[in-house]
Amino acid sequence: MRILVAGGAGYIGAHMVKCLAENGHTVTVFDNLSSGHPEAVRWGRLVVGDVLDRPALDAVLQADRYDAVMHFCARSLVGESMSQPLVYYRNNVLGTLTLLEAMQTAGVDRLVFSSSAAVFGQPLSERIDEDHPLAPINPYGASKWMCERMIEDAVKAFGLHAVALRYFNAAGAAPQGRIGESHQPETHLIPNVLRAVLEQGSAAPLQIFGDDYPTRDGTCVRDYVHVDDLAAAHLAALQLLQQEPGMHRFNLGNGAGFSVREVIAAAGRVCGRRVPHQVAPRRDGDPATLVAASDHAREVLGWKPRYTDIEAILETAWRWHRAPVY
Ligand code: NAD
Ligand code: UDP
């Protein structure tokens, strides 16, 4: 198939491009490089452009015949979305709207969309399945919820077929391939933990954002899922769209939660070094716990994460962060 990967120069998108190419697909990446890296696009063609730019999208979508679009573009930082909500609604919601319009015009009728656990807000159950109410508590999550809603309406109205994949916390890096997580500034826990290990003595210790949450050790609990496992779920989603038209949603996680302190301890074992850390105030917009129930993805997509052990996930991240290429 010929696939347009919007946001394919970013962390998860680059792993997707690698996975698509390895499975025989032809890829064009469309990315404005706001948080992505041209060096990460090693298995496809890169078109630099913005999903808010309709003429640029039309040009790329009409120049070739695409079988599907995968849409990874977003601003995706919870804390930043609390202070800059309109930036989030513009980029994420308007960007997705513009992409949907351009797909309709070009007659591309299959979409895999990067959604997020942030659509659920405060969990009402220990593990979150697809029937959990959608009640985002930050503008980032609200923007993803609005995108899902627009996609669902487009599916009903004009024959789009779509899968929304709600990732929990993407983590790790491809064991081979010289790609990994690299954001500036970096806000995600695992890269920050590993940086605290690498830069101890010369940089600030890791900040633990809050240790007074209602969790087993007071720090936030998240479900870390390997980025290659996420890519595998997208591949399965593409296949599903060929067999089952309509709108599908899947929650993607390992089904096991780790607290910030547990991640720090696991990283200490993997790196064989102490992780310098200190407790800081809570970060705005963070729910205490987010853990996935991914039975639906297992049953319908046949998805089975290969990395179920937090230390195995951290190993792959550690290999990247010790010698990042970009
Ligand atoms: P990322 O920032 O590394 O990648 C996003 C990519 O999209 C970047 O290459 C960026 O340059 C590009 N982009 C952003 N806005 C754009 C625009 N208007 N036009 C063109 N390109 C644009 O982020 P990521 O961690 O790889 O996340 C990918 C997707 O997965 C996002 O939609 C994010 O919300 C979602 N997600 C990520 C996580 C996670 O843990 N990383 C969890 C849940 C959902
Ligand atoms: N976190 C932290 N220190 C950091 C980065 C993150 O304590 O330097 C916490 C954060 O408050 C959250 C968890 O680690 O509870 C995961 O945060 P991350 O930003 O990696 O992902 P999110 O859950 O926001 O998608």
Side-chain angles (χ1 to χ4, degrees), residues 6-13 30-37 49-52 71-76 91-92 95 113-117 140 144 165-171 181-183 188:
Y11 168 44
I12 306 171
F30 185 84
D31 197 301
N32 68 1
L33 302 180
S34 55
S35 59
H37 305 269
D50 197 303
V51 283
L52 288 158
H71 176 29
F72 293 88
C73 302
R75 304 279 291 232
S76 56
N91 197 67
N92 298 359
F113 173 67
S114 301
S115 190
S116 165
Y140 166 61
K144 290 288 180 183
L165 298 176
R166 285 96 168 239
Y167 323 147
F168 281 60
N169 287 61
E181 184 164 14
S182 173
H183 295 119
H188 286 143

Side-chain angles (χ1 to χ4, degrees), residues 4-10 28-38 41 45-61 66 69-74 91 95-96 98-99 102:
L4 184 75
V5 181
T28 300
V29 169
F30 185 84
D31 197 301
N32 68 1
L33 302 180
S34 55
S35 59
H37 305 269
V41 185
R45 180 170 74 100
L46 170 64
V47 176
V48 177
D50 197 303
V51 283
L52 288 158
D53 181 348
R54 178 68 198 275
L57 271 179
D58 284 344
V60 72
L61 279 172
Y66 287 95
V69 172
M70 292 188 170
H71 176 29
F72 293 88
C73 302
N91 197 67
T96 301
T98 310
L99 180 61

Side-chain angles (χ1 to χ4, degrees), residues 107-242:
V108 182
D109 63 359
R110 277 178 259 170
L111 173 69
V112 184
F113 173 67
S114 301
S115 190
S116 165
V119 297
F120 296 111
Q122 296 290 4
L124 304 176
S125 50
E126 206 171 305
R127 291 162 78 242
I128 302 175
D129 67 14
E130 288 75 6
D131 296 328
H132 188 285
L134 303 177
I137 58 166
N138 51 60
Y140 166 61
S143 75
K144 290 288 180 183
W145 173 79
M146 289 175 194
C147 290
E148 282 198 22
R149 180 60 206 259
M150 283 192 304
I151 293 166
E152 181 185 336
D153 289 340
V155 166
K156 285 184 195 146
F158 63 83
L160 178 75
H161 308 298
V163 179
L165 298 176
R166 285 96 168 239
Y167 323 147
F168 281 60
N169 287 61
Q176 274 103 32
R178 300 193 293 133
I179 52 174
E181 184 164 14
S182 173
H183 295 119
Q184 204 50 260
E186 188 53 79
T187 64
H188 286 143
L189 178 65
I190 289 177
N192 282 349
V193 166
L194 299 179
R195 190 162 48 202
V197 171
L198 286 166
E199 295 177 359
Q200 46 194 312
S202 63
L206 176 85
Q207 311 275 303
I208 297 178
F209 297 138
D211 68 349
D212 57 351
Y213 285 96
T215 59
R216 49 189 173 261
D217 63 16
T219 65
C220 287
V221 170
R222 294 288 182 274
D223 182 337
Y224 296 90
V225 53
H226 196 274
V227 64
D228 279 346
D229 285 326
L230 293 179
H234 286 69
L235 214 55
L238 265 189
Q239 276 169 7
L240 179 71
L241 285 177
Q242 282 181 289

